[in-house]
Amino acid sequence: MNQTGAWNTANGIDKQGFGGARSVSYNLEAPMLYEESIRRAEAVLMPGGAINAETGIHTGRSPKDKFTVRDATTESKVWWGNNNSMTSEQFDTLLGDFQKHVEGKDLFVQDLFGGADPTFRVKSRVITEFAWHSLFIRNLLIRPDRSELASYVNELTIIDLPSFKADPKRHGCRSETVIALDFTRKIVLIGGTNYAGEMKKSVFTWLNWTLPNANALPMHCSANVGDDGDVAVFFGLSGTGKTTLSQDPNRILIGDDEHGWSRDGVFNFEGGCYAKAIRLSREAEPEIYSTTERFGTVLENVVFDPVTRIPDFDSEEKTENTRIAYPLDFISNSSTTGRAGHPTNIVMLTCDAFGVLPPIAKLDPAQAMYHFLSGYTAKVAGTEKGVTGPEATFSTCFGHPFLPLHPSVYGNLLRELIAKHSVDCWLVNTGWTGGKEGVGRRMPIRVTRRLLTAALDGSLNKATFRTDPYFGLAVPTSVPGVEPHILEPVKTWASKAEFAKTAKHLVEMFRKNFVEFESHVDAKVRDAAPTMRIAAE
C-alpha cells in the first residue's frame, strides 16, 4: 500500500484494518484535492475557483438508514425511540465488508478535530473514497496545525464509501444505504450515499453522545458575539435563517451550525460553514455569496450553465437542498478561536408557514424549554416531494435526527444553563405574515434584523409587552422602525376568523406533539404549552 502525505506513521489506516487499499493520501490540502477531484471526474471547476459536485439520488441525509449498535454500553442509555438498532455481530460483518471493499482503491484521509475547546473536542479521522469528500470534511471540521499531525492519534474513525452497497439481510439495515455508529468502538461506517453532509453530522451525533456526560450541552445552532462580549445563540432547523441571521456585519461569527455550551462558555464544533445555496443572491447575502467565487469552496448540486458554468442559485432542478461548504475564515468577521463566553441571548428561530406566530416574543425559562423540546418549524410547498401546502415539523431540540440520548437530557441541561447565566430567550418567526404560505408574504428580513438588533442590544427588554391570546407569548407592542401591526399577526390578515381557525389548528399540533415529553418535564413546562385564550371568531 502506497501511503503519502503528512501523518503519524505509527497510526496509519493499515493499523485499523484498511491495509488492502492501493494508495492512501493523508491530509492533502485544497490544491491537490482539487486536482484529484477533477482528474477523477468527481467535480467541475466553477468561475472564481470553487468546485461543484453532484450527489446523485441522495441530495440530503438519509435518517431512516442510520443505525446505532445496541450493546452493553448503549442498551440503557440510547433513546431507542429515535435510533434504529443494529447488533454488534451485524456491525462486525459490515465493518469486515467495508475493509474488503477498499481493496485496490485509492483513499483519502483527513485527521481533524470536532470541537474548538480542547477539553471537549474529539480527534476525528475521516477516511473517504472521494477526493471532494475529503475537501468537504477538511472545510467543515477543525484543521490541526501540520506540526500536530506527526503525533495525531484519532479517537473517532469515520469511513465513507459511497460505492459500497449494503445488504439488508446481511447487515441488518434497511436498504443499500447505511450509516452505522458503534459508540463503543468509536467507528462510523457510511455507505451507499454520495451526500457529504452525513460525515459532519456523524461527528455531531458523537458529540451529542459524549458531551452531556461531561455536563456540557451540544446544540444545533449558530452563534455570534458582539464587541462587548455578549454572545447570541440561534437555534433553528434548515430554512429558518440560522446561517443568514448569525452572519451579522456588526458581530463576530463564532459558527453557523453546531456548538457546545460548557462551564467555560460557547465553542464551535466546526471549522467551516455549510450554507444553503437555494435562491442565494449577491445583494441579500454578499458575504455568503462571495464564498461561491473562491478557491477552496465546495458547491453541492448547484445548477450551472454548461458553457459558462455560471451558477443558477434559483434553480431547484436537482434539489431544493443545494449547499455551499467553505472554511469559516472565508467570512471576514469570523472568530479565529471558535470560542466565546456564556450566552446573553438565546434565539429560537421558526419559519411559521401558517403565518400566525408573532415575529418576536420573549420566553420565560419554562417556555424556552417547551419550545426547545418542541423544535417547531414548517415545510412549505415545493421543498419536498408531495408537500403542496404548509406542513408543521417538530424536531425536538432542533436536532431530532442527531440525538442518541432522550431529549429531556438536553432540555434539562439547557434550562439549568439558562437559569445559571440569566439568559434572555426569544422566539423569532422568520416565516409568513398576512396569511399562510401562498396567501401572505415572507416576513421581511429587514424587520427580523431590526427586531433581533433590539433584542441583542438589550433595548427590547424595556418595551411594553402584551400576552398573545393564542400562544401565551410575551410580544412587544412597539419597536422603533417596525410597523406596529406586524407585531400583532391577526391585524395583518384579511379575515380574523380564518386567522383564529389557523391559530387553533397550530396550537392543537403543538399540544399533540408534546404529549410524549409531558412525563419528563415539570408542571411549569407543561403549563407553557400554547392555549387558545379566546374563542375563535
Side-chain angles (χ1 to χ4, degrees):
M1 184 172 68
N2 181 34
Q3 300 186 86
T4 59
W7 82 103
N8 179 355
T9 55
N11 188 44
I13 69 167
D14 52 319
K15 309 294 193 303
Q16 298 171 299
F18 290 90
R22 180 172 64 178
S23 72
V24 184
S25 300
Y26 291 90
N27 298 304
L28 298 187
E29 298 192 19
M32 294 183 73
L33 291 171
Y34 261 55
E35 291 173 353
E36 288 295 324
S37 299
I38 293 169
R39 182 181 68 80
R40 293 152 58 100
E42 296 175 359
V44 298
L45 191 63
M46 301 290 282
I51 59 170
N52 192 0
E54 294 188 17
T55 63
I57 61 171
H58 292 284
T59 57
R61 291 177 297 98
S62 300
K64 292 181 180 179
D65 293 308
K66 187 176 178 181
F67 292 81
T68 300
V69 172
R70 194 167 193 154
D71 60 16
T73 302
T74 60
E75 175 65 45
S76 62
K77 295 181 181 178
V78 165
W79 178 30
W80 293 113
N82 186 52
N83 290 266
N84 300 316
S85 67
M86 175 181 285
T87 67
S88 294
E89 292 74 20
Q90 289 166 334
F91 188 89
D92 280 338
T93 301
L94 183 63
L95 177 58
D97 289 348
F98 262 58
Q99 291 167 338
K100 291 176 185 175
H101 190 76
V102 306
E103 291 178 2
K105 292 186 180 297
D106 300 315
L107 299 178
F108 301 88
V109 176
Q110 292 291 334
D111 292 327
L112 302 162
F113 298 135
D117 187 334
T119 303
F120 300 100
R121 73 186 181 195
V122 58
K123 294 180 179 178
S124 305
R125 167 166 284 180
V126 186
I127 304 168
T128 65
E129 181 180 1
F130 291 168
W132 82 266
H133 276 194
S134 193
L135 178 59
F136 170 94
I137 201 64
R138 182 176 177 82
N139 281 353
L140 265 294
L141 294 185
I142 296 171
R143 300 160 290 283
D145 188 274
R146 290 192 75 80
S147 64
E148 298 178 80
L149 295 175
S151 59
Y152 181 99
V153 177
N154 58 296
E155 299 160 293
L156 178 67
T157 304
I158 298 171
I159 303 99
D160 174 56
L161 305 177
S163 67
F164 181 88
K165 303 300 180 187
D167 180 344
K169 290 183 179 179
R170 180 174 171 81
H171 302 126
C173 53
R174 189 186 70 101
S175 70
E176 291 185 339
T177 299
V178 65
I179 302 96
L181 298 87
D182 188 322
F183 288 130
T184 302
R185 283 178 279 193
K186 305 177 182 179
I187 299 173
V188 181
L189 304 175
I190 302 171
T193 174
N194 292 8
Y195 185 67
E198 297 286 9
M199 294 182 289
K200 91 178 204 88
K201 288 305 184 187
S202 294
V203 176
F204 184 45
T205 302
W206 173 263
L207 290 168
N208 274 307
W209 168 252
T210 59
L211 289 192
N213 193 50
N215 206 34
L217 175 67
M219 304 180 291
H220 187 208
C221 69
S222 58
N224 62 27
V225 58
D227 291 339
D228 295 332
D230 58 300
V231 175
V233 164
F234 301 80
F235 287 105
L237 301 172
S238 180
T240 58
K242 182 158 49 71
T243 296
T244 298
L245 294 171
S246 61
Q247 295 189 12
D248 184 329
N250 298 312
R251 298 173 66 83
I252 299 297
L253 176 68
I254 304 169
D256 85 322
D257 194 45
E258 301 165 3
H259 294 78
W261 185 359
S262 73
R263 59 182 177 271
D264 299 318
V266 169
F267 62 98
N268 195 357
F269 288 170
E270 302 184 310
C273 299
Y274 193 34
K276 291 197 76 170
I278 194 69
R279 291 176 287 279
L280 179 67
S281 74
R282 193 187 303 273
E283 295 70 31
E285 300 174 84
E287 279 263 57
I288 298 175
Y289 193 97
S290 70
T291 69
T292 70
E293 301 173 319
R294 289 193 61 169
F295 178 85
T297 293
V298 177
L299 305 183
E300 273 186 351
N301 298 315
V302 173
V303 174
F304 58 91
D305 184 286
V307 177
T308 65
R309 294 194 179 170
I310 293 173
D312 179 2
F313 292 116
D314 292 328
S315 176
E316 303 172 16
E317 180 183 329
K318 294 176 182 175
T319 177
E320 170 88 10
N321 191 37
T322 54
R323 293 275 181 170
I324 322 162
Y326 51 90
L328 189 64
D329 60 16
F330 279 16
I331 300 299
S332 60
N333 62 329
S334 61
S335 169
T336 57
T337 66
R339 301 174 67 180
H342 297 286
T344 304
N345 289 278
I346 287 176
V347 179
M348 297 184 188
L349 299 168
T350 180
C351 175
D352 176 28
F354 294 95
V356 294
L357 283 174
I360 195 166
K362 189 167 185 180
L363 305 175
D364 64 31
Q367 289 174 325
M369 187 171 178
Y370 181 92
H371 285 277
F372 179 68
L373 290 175
S374 296
Y376 165 70
T377 193
K379 298 174 185 176
V380 298
T383 56
E384 288 185 13
K385 185 177 180 180
V387 178
T388 58
E391 288 189 6
T393 298
F394 294 93
S395 184
T396 187
C397 306
F398 297 96
H400 184 274
F402 321 115
L403 305 183
L405 307 175
H406 192 274
S408 60
V409 173
Y410 310 101
N412 286 326
L413 264 173
L414 178 68
R415 192 176 184 184
E416 290 168 12
L417 287 163
I418 287 172
K420 182 175 181 180
H421 299 286
S422 302
V423 184
D424 287 328
C425 298
W426 310 89
L427 183 69
V428 170
N429 174 22
T430 61
W432 268 255
T433 183
K436 61 185 177 182
E437 183 258 340
V439 178
R441 59 168 179 155
R442 192 74 188 261
M443 191 73 66
I445 194 167
R446 63 168 182 81
V447 170
T448 302
R449 288 197 181 278
R450 195 175 293 265
L451 292 171
L452 278 174
T453 297
L456 302 191
D457 69 16
S459 60
L460 195 55
N461 281 322
K462 301 172 184 176
T464 301
F465 290 83
R466 66 177 180 87
T467 299
D468 182 273
Y470 302 90
F471 296 91
L473 301 169
V475 182
T477 56
S478 65
V479 177
V482 176
E483 302 92 319
H485 70 281
I486 210 168
L487 295 169
E488 193 166 352
V490 66
K491 291 184 177 179
T492 67
W493 281 55
S495 168
K496 290 182 173 57
E498 187 64 26
F499 176 91
K501 178 182 176 181
T502 306
K504 182 178 180 181
H505 178 55
L506 183 56
V507 165
E508 289 171 348
M509 285 190 285
F510 263 99
R511 297 181 71 85
K512 182 179 179 181
N513 171 74
F514 204 77
V515 168
E516 66 175 303
F517 305 120
E518 287 180 348
S519 62
H520 298 276
V521 299
D522 62 26
K524 286 185 178 180
V525 177
R526 291 194 293 272
D527 290 343
T531 303
M532 291 290 289
R533 288 166 169 77
I534 62 173
E537 296 178 29

